[in-house]
Amino acid sequence: MAKILVIDDDTHIREVCKLVIEAMGHEVEARPSLTKGLEALDKEVYDVVYLDVDLPDGNGLLSIPRITERDKAPEVIIFTGASYPNGAELAIKNGAWDYIEKPATAETMTLPLIRALQYRKEKFANRPPTVALKREGIIGNSQRVSSCLDLVAQAANADANTLITGETGTGKELFARAIHDNSERAEGPFVVVDCSSLTETLIESVLFGHAKGAFTGAEKKQEGLIKQADKGTLFLDEVGELPFSQQKAFLRVLQERRFRPVGAKEEETSDFRLVAATNKDLEAMVATADFRNDLLFRLRTMHIHIPPLRERGEDIRELTIHYMNAYCKKYRVPLKGFSPEFLDSLQEYDWPGNVRELVNLMENIIVRAQFEPTLYPKHLPPEVRIRIMSGKRQETASLGQETELLPPAEPAAASGEFTITPFDSYKKDTEFRYFKALMQQTGGDIHKACEMSDLGKQSLYRYLRIHGIPTRA
């Protein structure tokens, strides 16, 4: 017997779903809103969630990641009466199992459930025993990072080409090394190729090597990086910078694992595993004929996307403590403490340089505050503090412009009828008033605001940024 959760604001739909699914022998619970559905998921483990799109307090399609990015996450079946042109595409991209439009027959409604439960049974029955991953340098245990590490484990257990994407500074090379260190090739070499530094005149010699006398100055045979990666991993960093003229030659190497050094008569082989990384949109580059489509397919047998630091804010505290202690040890200064406001400031910052920026920031602070036992927002570099305050001012100004466009609140009719305004405007205005009052009543105390609102710190900061509400007056 499986546990099924139905999240739908239509009483009739909830009752029908419950009758149909219970007749299949499963346990069913139903909730009328997204908030109550997420609360149920926080308390119980479900196998499948039937999720409506148009809910009173949110959009089901946009909320799928909040369900699937959980430990033992359920499969999500979108079950909606609303017709969205790209609804099915968005649902699948966000990780849904299936997308069903109402009205639906009993078979249409239950067949995806049968298949999803069959998939979960096989998935958990055949799951290999948990093995601790070697993850040197990868700090954080947020759900986003854990999901990436799950993919690292899958990639490490195979020899398939893997593409790692993410913004600059997210740690793509660390994840590439984790794939290598946890694979059967861990004892072999890990060879890094910085594609951004390769010129068209040198790339063949650097990658493929050259024979003695192949060109002026080639006084002896030289192995290329591809040969050096034999029995190990070849890591192409910033693969989007690989010159288009050389992409076809490299594609052949990937297909056959054979190449000819510059000036050589014989071909050579190399048994390497390929991991590539880029901060560019390779699909967009394919569309503009700057990257080969067939090469992209070869690179992307497996794909791992590393989230930016602003999307994994729950890791900021752990990252801060780790690097603060590391630099205290490096510079031989006593370990430091930090005020709650210091961490709050780090949480509010948007980290355009991601983890790399945080690492450099902590070194900067430790060097400048070597003899000060506690860190405060004052210890942050001026440019960081200015960016935080500028962001708040811009969001506040933007909100002011938007609220000027909202229709003024009208008094309720004598009959008690509610004055109807556009839902998005009403929701935005209500949220703004709520969070503005919350921060005023708590005096800007984030911890107290979290307790009163029953929100996590990350969620609270997100709403404050959206509505341009400062944490302090």
Side-chain angles (χ1 to χ4, degrees):
M1 181 176 70
K3 293 192 69 171
I4 315 299
L5 176 65
V6 177
I7 305 176
D8 199 301
D9 61 336
D10 189 315
T11 304
H12 176 68
I13 293 294
R14 293 199 303 272
E15 290 175 352
V16 169
C17 287
K18 195 165 185 178
L19 287 172
V20 172
I21 298 171
E22 283 180 342
M24 298 170 66
H26 303 304
E27 181 181 342
V28 187
E29 290 188 22
R31 297 291 184 273
S33 68
L34 183 62
T35 301
K36 291 186 180 298
L38 294 174
E39 288 175 354
L41 287 163
D42 288 335
K43 298 174 183 177
E44 297 286 344
V45 175
Y46 294 90
D47 296 288
V48 174
V49 174
Y50 278 86
L51 179 63
D52 192 13
V53 173
D54 285 329
L55 292 162
D57 53 349
N59 184 297
L61 287 173
L62 302 180
S63 303
I64 296 173
R66 298 170 67 182
I67 298 173
T68 57
E69 292 180 354
R70 295 167 177 260
D71 187 32
K72 295 183 179 179
E75 308 306 322
V76 176
I77 297 174
I78 293 294
F79 191 45
T80 179
S83 180
Y84 289 89
N86 300 318
E89 179 183 350
L90 184 58
I92 299 305
K93 282 185 175 180
N94 281 340
W97 176 267
D98 206 345
Y99 183 92
I100 306 171
E101 291 190 358
K102 306 170 189 171
T105 64
E107 182 180 3
T108 303
M109 180 182 142
T110 57
L111 183 57
L113 174 61
I114 294 170
R115 295 290 181 255
L117 293 176
Q118 180 182 355
Y119 162 76
R120 287 178 69 81
K121 182 178 179 180
E122 294 172 353
K123 174 183 175 181
F124 291 113
N126 298 315
R127 174 172 285 185
T130 302
V131 177
L133 279 177
K134 299 174 184 175
R135 48 179 289 183
E136 184 176 356
I138 301 176
I139 309 300
N141 292 289
S142 64
Q143 187 58 50
R144 300 295 297 273
V145 170
S146 297
S147 297
C148 290
L149 290 173
D150 287 343
L151 293 174
V152 165
Q154 294 174 25
N157 287 328
D159 220 23
N161 299 333
T162 303
L163 178 65
I164 303 175
T165 59
E167 296 178 6
T168 299
T170 50
K172 295 184 288 294
E173 184 172 343
L174 290 176
F175 282 85
R177 286 186 179 274
I179 292 173
H180 173 76
D181 290 343
N182 290 281
S183 72
E184 294 182 353
R185 297 176 178 266
E187 299 302 319
F190 181 82
V191 179
V192 179
V193 181
D194 183 1
C195 296
S196 63
S197 67
L198 296 177
T199 62
E200 292 196 36
T201 55
L202 291 176
I203 186 170
E204 288 191 9
S205 177
V206 171
L207 290 179
F208 306 143
H210 60 258
K212 180 180 178 181
F215 49 81
T216 303
E219 299 179 354
K220 61 180 181 179
K221 179 181 178 180
Q222 179 67 49
E223 276 190 349
L225 295 177
I226 291 175
K227 186 63 178 179
Q228 291 176 25
D230 190 31
K231 307 301 181 186
T233 299
L234 181 70
F235 175 52
L236 293 185
D237 194 15
E238 299 305 338
V239 69
E241 302 290 346
L242 191 66
F244 190 84
S245 60
Q246 298 299 324
Q247 291 176 21
K248 184 175 181 180
F250 191 75
L251 177 63
R252 180 174 179 271
V253 176
L254 286 183
Q255 291 171 333
E256 303 178 14
R257 294 302 196 267
R258 299 180 66 84
F259 60 95
R260 189 189 303 277
V262 178
K265 296 181 179 179
E266 302 290 334
E267 285 192 329
E268 297 183 6
T269 61
S270 178
D271 174 22
F272 64 90
R273 189 266 176 83
L274 180 76
V275 179
T278 183
N279 62 0
K280 294 183 176 295
D281 184 344
L282 295 187
E283 289 189 347
M285 293 181 67
V286 167
T288 56
D290 293 316
F291 202 85
R292 292 182 64 97
N293 200 27
D294 46 4
L295 179 55
L296 175 57
F297 287 145
R298 283 283 179 177
L299 296 176
R300 198 174 54 185
T301 306
M302 290 197 68
H303 179 209
I304 302 174
H305 180 72
I306 312 301
L309 185 55
R310 63 181 173 274
E311 293 181 6
R312 43 177 286 217
E314 55 266 53
D315 291 326
I316 289 177
R317 179 185 179 89
E318 188 174 352
L319 284 161
T320 300
I321 293 173
H322 174 85
Y323 287 107
M324 180 173 63
N325 293 342
Y327 284 117
C328 283
K329 182 178 180 181
K330 176 180 178 179
Y331 292 107
R332 299 178 183 179
V333 299
L335 296 181
K336 299 184 182 297
F338 53 80
S339 68
E341 293 79 13
F342 177 78
L343 186 60
D344 287 345
S345 296
L346 297 183
Q347 300 276 13
E348 291 176 46
Y349 188 49
D350 60 354
W351 298 106
N354 293 295
V355 178
R356 184 183 299 156
E357 183 180 7
L358 186 147
V359 174
N360 294 333
L361 175 70
M362 292 314 302
E363 182 173 19
N364 172 284
I365 291 173
I366 297 304
V367 168
R368 291 188 296 106
Q370 292 189 37
F371 306 107
E372 300 177 41
T374 306
L375 300 180
Y376 298 92
K378 179 179 175 60
H379 290 105
L380 293 170
E383 60 271 18
V384 172
R385 299 178 68 189
I386 290 170
R387 186 178 178 96
I388 293 172
M389 298 309 299
S390 296
K392 290 178 180 178
R393 286 196 296 271
Q394 290 172 5
E395 289 171 349
T396 302
S398 175
L399 181 66
Q401 293 173 358
E402 292 174 357
T403 53
E404 286 177 4
L405 301 176
L406 295 178
E410 297 179 8
S415 61
E417 292 183 358
F418 187 77
T419 301
I420 300 299
T421 60
F423 179 70
D424 285 344
S425 299
Y426 170 77
K427 181 181 176 184
K428 184 180 295 184
D429 187 45
T430 302
E431 282 188 359
F432 172 74
R433 296 174 191 276
Y434 174 84
F435 288 107
K436 184 73 173 178
L438 177 66
M439 299 314 295
Q440 288 176 345
Q441 291 185 28
T442 59
D445 187 322
I446 291 294
H447 302 285
K448 188 180 294 184
C450 287
E451 290 178 2
M452 289 182 65
S453 64
D454 199 24
L455 288 171
K457 184 178 289 188
Q458 291 308 308
S459 297
L460 178 58
Y461 275 124
R462 184 172 65 253
Y463 282 117
L464 294 179
R465 282 195 293 268
I466 288 172
H467 296 290
I469 300 172
T471 56
R472 290 174 292 277

